[in-house]
Amino acid sequence: MKLTKVVIENFRQIRELPLDFTDSLGKPRNLILIAGANGSGKTSILDAIGLALAPSVKFNVPRPNLNITPKSLVRSGNLFARVTYTVRFSQDELDATTELLRASDDRGEIPQEQEVTASWRYPDPGHQHRAGIVTYKPYPSCWKQFEGRVRAARLLSTNSLPYLPNKQSSWFERVGAAFTFDQQRQGLSKTIRPEIANVIRNESGDSGELVTTSDPREILLTEAIRDSVKSNKGDRRSKYKQIAEAYARVCSPKRIKGILLNDYDKPDIIFTDGEYEYSYEGLSSGEQMILLFIIKLVTDSVHKSILLIDEIELHQHPTWQLQLLNLLPKIGIDNQIIATTHSQYLRDSVNPDSIIDLNSLVDESTSMKQL
């Protein structure tokens, strides 16, 4: 799924702001950089899109700790905020979603619209939906087209995914959702098997319960350990190797060297710059941010999805900024990246057609409060 148009109304300081995410041929652009100075409303645009998409894709799209109240979201003097957006679906995504809905025992009508317009209104006038209410065109039932990924996740958890000749994970290469990367790059969370958690933490236990962690080091160690054990599914791709290869491409000559036991007999991920070796704690803030990006995209199998990234250049040298921007589309399959930036280097390095300049949307004498 990809966004083609968005209109934001009465959201925070924005009165009305239309955004076009298509190229000269009317096709959805895969990369959009929303550029503007601090305080120009870049984060508000991403928040509006994330809040509007969340009820449709059934994913926690808005950034963590976002204050969702009428006072914080609705422009002063108005009763509600509205975000109207148009999403375009590929035929393969529609076909996959239909199969997944049928496997979920949904026997109702399943639309096959390649373009759907949804309108999110907050607050809900009926006071039934805390995060706002969404209506769909051309048919009210078009909400089903957004649910392919969440249906696949539910079926996977019960081992009920429809059989595919290749591998179950390919379902997530056919249906997408929306994901947010805020300025703190929060939202990374994984469940790992207890036996792997015991190895990582050098602990003993037999509770049999899955362990949830948001520690990038533990998630990376989990994938490294899984990679070292031969799978009975010969087609399973190594997520650890994908992460290591992507990290090396952005941060070269720095790279992930492998696993080593530390002084406390705990496994640790070792990095190298070609001369010195160091652990995860020795990474710079820029390296950590890049690694968080890569880990989330790879371990969450982010494909056919909308990525909302706030200040993509955060904590990075200009060279790494561009290398990361060039790498992100290659990690997942057919994702759409909508990122904010105030980096002049990035603005000068990408195709001008990919840039939405907030300063050009208004006269120099007009503030964002009057949009």
Side-chain angles (χ1 to χ4, degrees):
M1 66 177 70
K2 293 181 181 178
L3 286 167
T4 58
K5 297 184 188 309
V6 174
V7 179
I8 304 171
E9 301 174 80
N10 300 327
F11 187 88
R12 293 201 183 123
Q13 70 270 47
I14 301 172
R15 184 179 65 192
E16 183 175 1
L17 179 63
L19 299 168
D20 190 336
F21 296 156
T22 60
D23 61 18
S24 58
L25 298 176
K27 297 180 180 180
R29 284 181 281 170
N30 292 329
L31 172 65
I32 301 99
L33 281 183
I34 300 174
N38 289 333
S40 61
K42 301 189 302 295
T43 300
S44 290
I45 291 172
L46 292 192
D47 284 344
I49 295 173
L51 286 165
L53 284 170
S56 297
V57 298
K58 298 293 188 294
F59 268 65
N60 189 23
V61 185
R63 57 188 170 93
N65 305 318
L66 178 62
N67 187 19
I68 305 177
T69 64
K71 184 177 181 180
S72 64
L73 298 182
V74 180
R75 179 181 165 89
S76 178
N78 293 271
L79 297 177
F80 61 90
R82 190 197 311 274
V83 179
T84 303
Y85 57 94
T86 301
V87 172
R88 196 167 296 172
F89 297 89
S90 67
Q91 188 58 53
D92 182 58
E93 188 170 7
L94 293 174
D95 293 342
T97 300
T98 298
E99 293 176 57
L100 291 165
L101 288 166
R102 292 298 186 218
S104 302
D105 291 327
D106 188 323
R107 302 304 172 193
E109 178 186 0
I110 301 176
Q112 291 284 300
E113 297 295 324
Q114 290 199 319
E115 193 163 88
V116 175
T117 297
S119 182
W120 172 80
R121 172 173 168 159
Y122 178 83
D124 172 17
H127 307 289
Q128 296 181 3
H129 305 277
R130 175 184 174 274
I133 188 169
V134 185
T135 55
Y136 302 89
K137 293 181 180 179
Y139 305 110
S141 57
C142 282
W143 61 268
K144 294 182 179 181
Q145 296 187 197
F146 292 82
E147 288 201 359
R149 188 176 180 93
V150 73
R151 296 292 180 120
R154 290 171 183 169
L155 290 167
L156 179 62
S157 67
T158 59
N159 295 316
S160 303
L161 270 179
Y163 173 75
L164 284 179
N166 296 324
K167 52 189 177 300
Q168 285 189 321
S169 61
S170 65
W171 282 107
F172 295 102
E173 296 176 2
R174 299 182 65 193
V175 289
F179 298 84
T180 290
F181 295 85
D182 68 352
Q183 292 184 21
Q184 285 71 46
R185 308 305 187 231
Q186 300 180 76
L188 184 67
S189 180
K190 281 293 171 187
T191 56
I192 57 180
R193 297 183 64 84
E195 56 268 28
I196 295 180
N198 291 339
V199 171
I200 292 172
R201 300 173 181 180
N202 195 19
E203 299 173 349
S204 60
D206 55 0
S207 66
E209 295 181 359
L210 294 173
V211 176
T212 300
T213 181
S214 58
D215 183 351
R217 175 186 158 277
E218 290 191 337
I219 296 172
L220 190 53
L221 278 168
T222 298
E223 294 302 336
I225 292 171
R226 292 181 64 199
D227 181 60
S228 66
V229 179
K230 290 185 178 180
S231 171
N232 59 3
K233 300 176 183 177
D235 55 8
R236 183 175 68 84
R237 290 179 295 176
S238 166
K239 292 185 177 181
Y240 169 71
K241 289 179 181 176
Q242 292 180 63
I243 294 169
E245 290 169 2
Y247 177 81
R249 288 178 64 179
V250 177
C251 301
S252 178
K254 302 175 186 290
R255 61 183 176 85
I256 300 172
K257 185 173 183 179
I259 303 179
L260 190 70
L261 288 178
N262 62 21
D263 294 339
Y264 302 97
D265 287 331
K266 288 185 177 181
D268 202 359
I269 291 288
I270 301 301
F271 297 79
T272 181
D273 60 6
E275 183 176 0
Y276 300 102
E277 296 180 0
Y278 47 95
S279 65
Y280 180 84
E281 286 71 18
L283 296 177
S284 68
S285 58
E287 290 175 90
Q288 289 184 17
M289 290 294 182
I290 289 170
L291 198 55
L292 284 171
F293 266 124
I294 297 171
I295 290 174
K296 184 170 181 63
L297 289 173
V298 172
T299 60
D300 282 352
S301 299
V302 177
H303 307 290
K304 298 287 183 73
S305 295
I306 300 164
L307 278 58
L308 306 174
I309 306 174
D310 200 10
E311 294 197 18
I312 191 169
E313 73 276 10
L314 207 61
H315 299 298
Q316 294 163 38
H317 184 275
T319 302
W320 283 10
Q321 294 176 19
L322 186 58
Q323 288 177 177
L324 176 62
L325 193 63
N326 290 333
L327 174 71
L328 287 177
K330 300 173 184 177
I331 296 179
I333 300 172
D334 201 23
N335 289 319
Q336 182 184 47
I337 299 168
I338 302 172
T340 68
T341 185
H342 50 62
S343 168
Q344 190 62 44
Y345 176 78
L346 282 184
R347 293 178 61 171
D348 293 342
S349 301
V350 302
N351 189 322
D353 292 339
S354 298
I355 298 173
I356 294 177
D357 188 349
L358 294 183
N359 295 328
S360 69
L361 296 178
V362 292
D363 296 329
E364 292 184 0
S365 59
T366 305
S367 68
M368 274 294 292
K369 290 186 178 181
Q370 295 174 302
L371 280 175

